[in-house]
Amino acid sequence: GAAMVARALWALLAALRAGWCLLPQSGYLHPDEFFQAPEVMAGDILNLHVYYPWEFLSNSPCRTVVFPLMTSGVTYWVIKSLQRLDICSSCINSYTLLVSPRLFFTIFSFILDYSVYRLAPFWGADPWKALVLLAGSYVTLVFYTRTFTNTLEGLLFALLMVLVSSRKASGCSAEPRSSSLLGVITTAGFFNRPTFLAFALMPLLYWAGLIVDSQKSIKTLINDFLKFILCACFTAFVFITADTFYFTSVSLDNLYTNKSSLIDVIVQLHDKMVVTPFNFLSYNLNPHNLALHGSHPRVTHFTVNGVMLFGILHILAIGAGFKMLKKYVHQLMLVRWCCRGQPGLLVHSEGSPTLLLFYFVPLAFLSLFSHQEPRFLIPLILPLVLFSASPNRAVKWKLLIVLFNLLGALLFGCLHQGGLIPCLFHLEQLIHSPASSSHPQHYTLLFAHTYMPPRSLLNIKKTDVHVEVIDMAGAGEETLCQTVEQRASNFTCSNCHIFIIIPGTLRATITKCGVSFKNETLIFPHLSMEDPPQIPVLSSGNWRSQLGLYILELNR
């Protein structure tokens, strides 16, 4: 009976994951969910006016183009083809531009569910309990349905764990026969995010331990490791070649026109070779560069981000980790003093100790860097739910787990910067309205104190010059007012429209700028953690304005 309830609950949560993606979710987690794939591909494939982040500029390429092409690129190519074939006359709009890449990621997020179902028996966890913990986590519902490189990192980490965890029919561990796949996935993960090596370390050590303990011949052992290395090198070659073609002037058309020989092609590729992970590492290993993105105490992942993402499960894992550490230190002391027995924690052991290593080793490595964001830890949900789904663990915390994930889903899936995406939907409809099409209009869109707006959702072609987007980020009151007053003073043409988009917490500030507005639209809800609403104002009855995003049209 309990198993049937768990299956029904997982099915319901899986449907919620897909349905909420299609709705769509209005929360905006971080600019990287747009500017590390969809925004770039919308410019390259759909020829839309977009903002290219510095990581994708040819003078400083730090991100591989392979995964953006395979994810957002494929979805945009599909909707572009459907529109060209007249199967869907208006396939390209703000909704499809947002939802199609997210749907792609949502479908692939079920790799996590498959991995949990496969891994649970191996690690002594209840499969359906683990699946419910996974599917009910707001991390799965929100983060794993977004176009983050961290999402791909989590899926590749899950595949690594599946490959290294296998059993014989007798129930004992079987040495994995997947050296080639391990090499491919490890290298692909490294090119996606070099931090993947922190996640891959424990699975690879576990795999190496199984290979060594399998009592194979030296020749067979060398063969396994050679397969891993050769496949890793081949995968790296594919990524480097693709990135070199994308980021440099080397193109197949030019090579064909110039009738270059194969040797000439190889020389050109070698001279302009792009190895994005090395560029990524050289940038991020510089403390000054990391400080530009925000510096945090080294314990932020342990004390703040882990709790923010996983709640009580993270706290219980820390408690269990300390208990096991105390136990093994005690055993080690007995070995030293009494010269008998051996410490029980081995890399190739099964069960909770090893699962905790799969969780805490990547956490420790990521904590070495001063820039620490919660999303960096989302791949760790897999070992954590397997550990938490072990018998008699986390059962008495059910209500707290449910409330925590409801709050997290509401905060990050709906409220956090939640007005910006609906605002772009509204502006896209306004810009492409029949009235605007029949009488050309010029639009100036000034965003202040919001996350960076993805220009692609406005669905403007690169050749169109009638829309200007100004992102003032977190500009001060004086700078903001100067810009608004300057735009107002230059407001001369009759078919010009200037819109100012600000959070409700700045509505009183913009009034001081000495300009008037003929229209204002309030989009609710919108919570800006950079400009949070004041509690006294919230309780005064003006809470809807404080938790909203304003679209203000400047008066002539």
Side-chain angles (χ1 to χ4, degrees):
M4 287 298 294
V5 170
R7 291 181 187 187
L9 188 54
W10 173 81
L12 186 65
L13 291 167
L16 174 63
R17 194 189 316 174
W20 201 12
C21 168
L22 296 170
L23 195 57
Q25 290 183 24
S26 59
Y28 183 171
L29 298 175
H30 191 279
D32 282 357
E33 68 175 287
F34 292 101
F35 293 93
Q36 285 184 359
E39 183 84 353
V40 176
M41 290 299 104
D44 290 348
I45 293 174
L46 301 178
N47 199 35
L48 295 182
H49 173 68
V50 299
Y51 176 83
Y52 284 94
W54 65 271
E55 296 103 320
F56 283 91
L57 299 179
S58 58
N59 60 341
S60 59
C62 289
R63 300 282 179 189
T64 181
V65 76
V66 175
F67 281 112
L69 281 170
M70 290 171 61
T71 54
S72 300
V74 168
T75 58
Y76 287 161
W77 178 82
V78 169
I79 60 175
K80 179 181 180 180
S81 301
L82 290 174
Q83 184 157 305
R84 278 186 171 177
L85 295 170
D86 287 331
I87 296 173
C88 173
S89 58
S90 57
C91 274
I92 302 173
N93 54 61
S94 56
Y95 175 81
T96 56
L97 288 168
L98 174 74
V99 170
S100 58
R102 283 188 179 180
L103 184 60
F104 190 95
F105 273 70
T106 301
I107 291 168
F108 276 87
S109 74
F110 286 94
I111 290 174
L112 275 183
D113 302 71
Y114 167 78
S115 301
V116 164
Y117 188 77
R118 280 283 308 272
L119 291 168
F122 182 85
W123 295 104
D126 181 277
W128 289 104
K129 182 181 172 184
L131 280 169
V132 169
L133 277 175
L134 174 75
S137 170
Y138 87 87
V139 173
T140 306
L141 289 169
V142 179
F143 283 86
Y144 273 94
T145 58
R146 304 298 181 91
T147 48
F148 284 118
T149 54
N150 309 92
T151 306
L152 292 171
E153 190 172 43
L155 300 179
L156 293 171
F157 178 50
L159 291 175
L160 269 190
M161 284 194 66
V162 170
L163 288 175
V164 302
S165 307
S166 56
R167 282 191 188 278
K168 294 178 181 176
S170 59
C172 58
S173 295
E175 67 275 6
R177 299 183 180 276
S178 46
S179 308
S180 304
L181 275 176
L182 286 172
V184 171
I185 291 173
T186 303
T187 308
F190 177 67
F191 272 83
N192 175 57
R193 287 184 69 83
T195 54
F196 183 72
L197 293 183
F199 297 97
L201 178 62
M202 276 307 301
L204 292 180
L205 284 177
Y206 188 84
W207 167 72
L210 289 175
I211 294 292
V212 171
D213 287 353
S214 63
Q215 297 180 345
K216 289 182 176 180
S217 65
I218 295 295
K219 182 180 178 182
T220 310
L221 290 177
I222 293 173
N223 187 43
D224 282 331
F225 287 112
L226 274 179
K227 280 183 183 178
F228 175 88
I229 293 168
L230 288 173
C231 288
C233 291
F234 176 76
T235 307
F237 172 78
V238 171
F239 275 84
I240 291 170
T241 304
D243 290 336
T244 302
F245 274 116
Y246 180 82
F247 287 112
T248 68
S249 58
V250 177
S251 71
L252 291 173
D253 291 337
N254 290 339
L255 294 174
Y256 178 77
T257 304
N258 298 332
K259 296 182 179 179
S260 303
S261 67
L262 181 59
I263 295 176
D264 293 333
V265 172
I266 293 171
V267 169
Q268 286 193 50
L269 287 174
H270 180 267
D271 291 343
K272 300 182 178 183
M273 187 182 296
V274 175
V275 187
T276 52
F278 292 162
N279 296 339
F280 178 97
L281 288 170
S282 63
Y283 179 88
N284 285 281
L285 290 176
N286 185 331
H288 174 71
N289 292 336
L290 282 184
L292 297 175
H293 301 272
S295 293
H296 309 93
R298 294 295 197 275
V299 294
T300 303
H301 278 326
F302 276 98
T303 57
V304 179
N305 295 341
V307 178
M308 188 187 299
L309 289 175
F310 309 122
I312 191 66
L313 299 185
H314 176 73
I315 296 170
L316 292 174
I318 289 176
F322 275 119
K323 284 181 183 178
M324 290 182 183
L325 189 61
K326 182 180 177 182
K327 172 186 172 183
Y328 291 117
V329 167
H330 180 65
Q331 286 187 1
L332 195 61
M333 290 169 67
L334 284 176
V335 171
R336 188 179 235 180
W337 293 342
C338 306
C339 298
R340 66 177 183 223
Q342 290 187 358
L345 181 61
L346 298 174
V347 170
H348 59 275
S349 65
E350 296 176 18
S352 295
T354 310
L355 271 180
L356 284 174
L357 287 175
F358 275 72
Y359 183 73
F360 283 115
V361 168
L363 192 59
F365 272 104
L366 293 175
S367 297
L368 297 176
F369 298 93
S370 61
H371 182 58
Q372 301 186 14
E373 295 182 30
R375 62 192 171 94
F376 296 169
L377 302 184
I378 66 171
L380 296 178
I381 192 172
L382 181 61
L384 185 61
V385 298
L386 290 171
F387 174 79
S388 303
S390 300
N392 303 319
R393 190 170 281 136
V395 174
K396 61 181 178 181
W397 301 101
K398 280 182 183 177
L399 181 60
L400 183 60
I401 291 170
V402 171
L403 291 175
F404 171 79
N405 285 300
L406 280 174
L407 181 63
L410 175 67
L411 177 61
F412 293 105
C414 299
L415 293 176
H416 189 258
Q417 294 284 328
L420 191 55
I421 301 303
C423 163
L424 292 168
F425 279 22
H426 173 81
L427 292 172
E428 190 249 2
Q429 291 179 353
L430 183 68
I431 292 167
H432 296 284
S433 63
S436 298
S437 301
S438 56
H439 302 285
Q441 312 283 315
H442 186 275
Y443 295 91
T444 300
L445 311 177
L446 192 152
F447 293 83
H449 290 255
T450 68
Y451 274 3
M452 192 159 49
R455 278 72 159 171
S456 59
L457 297 187
L458 294 170
N459 192 20
I460 308 161
K461 292 293 183 184
K462 287 180 179 177
T463 52
D464 293 344
V465 293
H466 68 288
V467 179
E468 179 186 10
V469 178
I470 302 171
D471 181 16
M472 297 198 65
E477 181 180 335
E478 185 179 346
T479 305
L480 179 59
C481 281
Q482 283 179 355
T483 306
V484 171
E485 289 167 4
Q486 182 183 7
R487 291 284 166 173
S489 62
N490 296 333
F491 201 165
T492 53
C493 64
S494 59
N495 62 342
C496 293
H497 303 272
I498 299 176
F499 292 93
I500 299 169
I501 298 95
I502 54 168
T505 49
L506 263 69
R507 183 64 184 88
T509 302
I510 206 76
T511 308
K512 301 174 187 176
C513 295
V515 294
S516 61
F517 303 99
K518 66 177 181 180
N519 286 315
E520 63 177 66
T521 304
L522 177 65
I523 295 177
F524 177 86
H526 178 91
L527 175 63
S528 172
M529 302 304 290
E530 289 72 24
D531 299 280
Q534 297 177 353
I535 301 300
V537 180
L538 283 177
S539 58
S540 67
N542 195 29
W543 61 273
R544 189 176 176 86
S545 172
Q546 289 286 299
L547 289 174
L549 184 73
Y550 277 95
I551 305 174
L552 306 171
E553 185 175 3
L554 203 63
N555 206 357
R556 288 178 62 81

